[in-house]
Amino acid sequence: MSAYDDSGRKDAGDFGGGTLARPSIAEQVANRIMAMIKSGNLKPGDRLPTEQQMTIAFGISRPPLREALKALTLMGVLVSRQGGRYTVTDLSPSRLVAPFNTMLSVADYDVDMQFEARTVVDLELVRLCAERASPELRQRIRKLAVDGRAFEQDPVAFRLLDMEFHQAINDGAGNSLLAALAQVLYDMGLDVRRTASEVPGVIAKSVGQHIVVADALMAGDAPAAIAAYRAHLEHVRDTTISAKQSLGA
């Protein structure tokens, strides 16, 4: 029997003391959206995906999603526009950026160094995921990969889905320290990667590569998953370099 009750709180009887609350689904979603804003993956003026797209990306139902969006609206992080789409407000970045911020400016951003590091960290996470991930998490990784097909014309929605896809792989690896390093590396140079994601054809290729990675993970084939993920990283690196050059950096 689960130690958590229906509200998501730890059963006090397990410890003989007060309850320890774990984040609700709505809190987890709100934190994910805030993380995208803090890292620069979402910027002031960006419109969030539709509710339907976000339920697909996060793998949740609409009630907790709406609860998260309402909370972020009350905080002044989001504003609801006519038509039901939410937009990121023009809050000062200094109010949103975490104290330890490893994001680099476009001018100082070394793409080769970043992707050399990502290759070391991410490929190990993929290997571990192929060995350790539960069947349920493998299914989620593949669903996120396939669902990307619906987002090929919506860069903002795809970036949200992309973050969830890579986070699911990190979760499957079962190593929180490596996952934290991977997130830091993922967040670097997001200004440039935002530009890259808006180039026609870039998202479609990424989606196809995600599916190949996911299929290998479903099969528990670590060498195939690593090879497919390496090809994906090379694609992301190359398109990032092109975007950086287009920005004149």
Side-chain angles (χ1 to χ4, degrees):
M1 184 173 179
S2 172
Y4 290 100
D5 64 21
D6 292 338
S7 67
R9 286 187 291 271
K10 191 76 174 176
D11 187 340
D14 285 1
F15 298 99
T19 59
L20 291 175
R22 68 174 181 179
S24 67
I25 294 175
E27 287 177 287
Q28 293 176 48
V29 171
N31 287 336
R32 288 290 179 88
I33 293 172
M34 280 293 292
M36 292 185 73
I37 295 172
K38 289 178 180 180
S39 68
N41 211 345
L42 285 172
K43 290 201 165 185
D46 277 350
R47 284 207 311 165
L48 293 187
T50 63
E51 286 189 2
Q52 182 180 9
Q53 288 174 320
M54 285 191 282
T55 58
I56 292 172
F58 289 123
I60 62 173
S61 61
R62 288 197 175 185
L65 173 65
R66 288 175 174 169
E67 184 180 343
L69 295 174
K70 180 179 179 181
L72 291 173
T73 301
L74 291 172
M75 291 168 60
V77 175
L78 301 178
V79 61
S80 179
R81 302 294 189 191
Q82 190 172 7
R85 296 283 290 270
Y86 288 81
T87 303
V88 180
T89 63
D90 58 354
L91 287 174
S92 168
S94 63
R95 292 177 57 191
L96 295 171
V97 175
F100 180 67
N101 188 342
T102 60
M103 283 185 52
L104 304 177
S105 68
V106 172
D108 296 332
Y109 174 40
D110 188 320
V111 179
D112 290 326
M113 186 180 297
Q114 178 200 6
F115 281 90
E116 183 175 67
R118 280 195 70 178
T119 298
V120 172
V121 175
D122 286 13
L123 294 187
E124 180 62 12
L125 284 165
V126 169
R127 183 186 72 79
L128 292 172
C129 182
E131 296 176 356
R132 298 175 175 176
S134 67
E136 294 78 15
L137 190 51
R138 292 175 202 265
Q139 289 283 358
R140 171 157 170 74
I141 291 168
R142 187 162 197 290
K143 185 175 187 304
L144 286 166
V146 173
D147 285 344
R149 291 171 174 160
F151 296 173
E152 290 180 5
Q153 305 305 315
D154 190 337
V156 173
F158 176 75
R159 289 197 297 271
L160 187 153
L161 186 78
D162 184 71
M163 184 179 72
E164 290 296 308
F165 174 78
H166 289 281
Q167 184 61 54
I169 291 175
N170 296 347
D171 291 343
N175 187 310
S176 59
L177 290 177
L178 278 177
L181 287 173
Q183 188 62 53
V184 169
L185 293 169
Y186 180 93
D187 287 345
M188 286 182 175
L190 280 172
D191 278 344
V192 181
R193 298 237 311 282
R194 282 168 55 89
T195 299
S197 70
E198 293 170 359
V199 175
V202 166
I203 291 177
K205 185 168 183 177
S206 286
V207 170
Q209 292 173 332
H210 283 180
I211 292 172
V212 176
V213 171
D215 285 344
L217 291 174
M218 284 290 294
D221 189 338
I226 289 169
Y229 200 98
R230 185 187 297 275
H232 176 55
L233 283 179
E234 290 172 353
H235 162 64
V236 178
R237 179 201 62 204
D238 292 345
T239 55
T240 302
I241 290 172
S242 296
K244 189 171 186 286
Q245 291 171 343
S246 73
L247 293 170

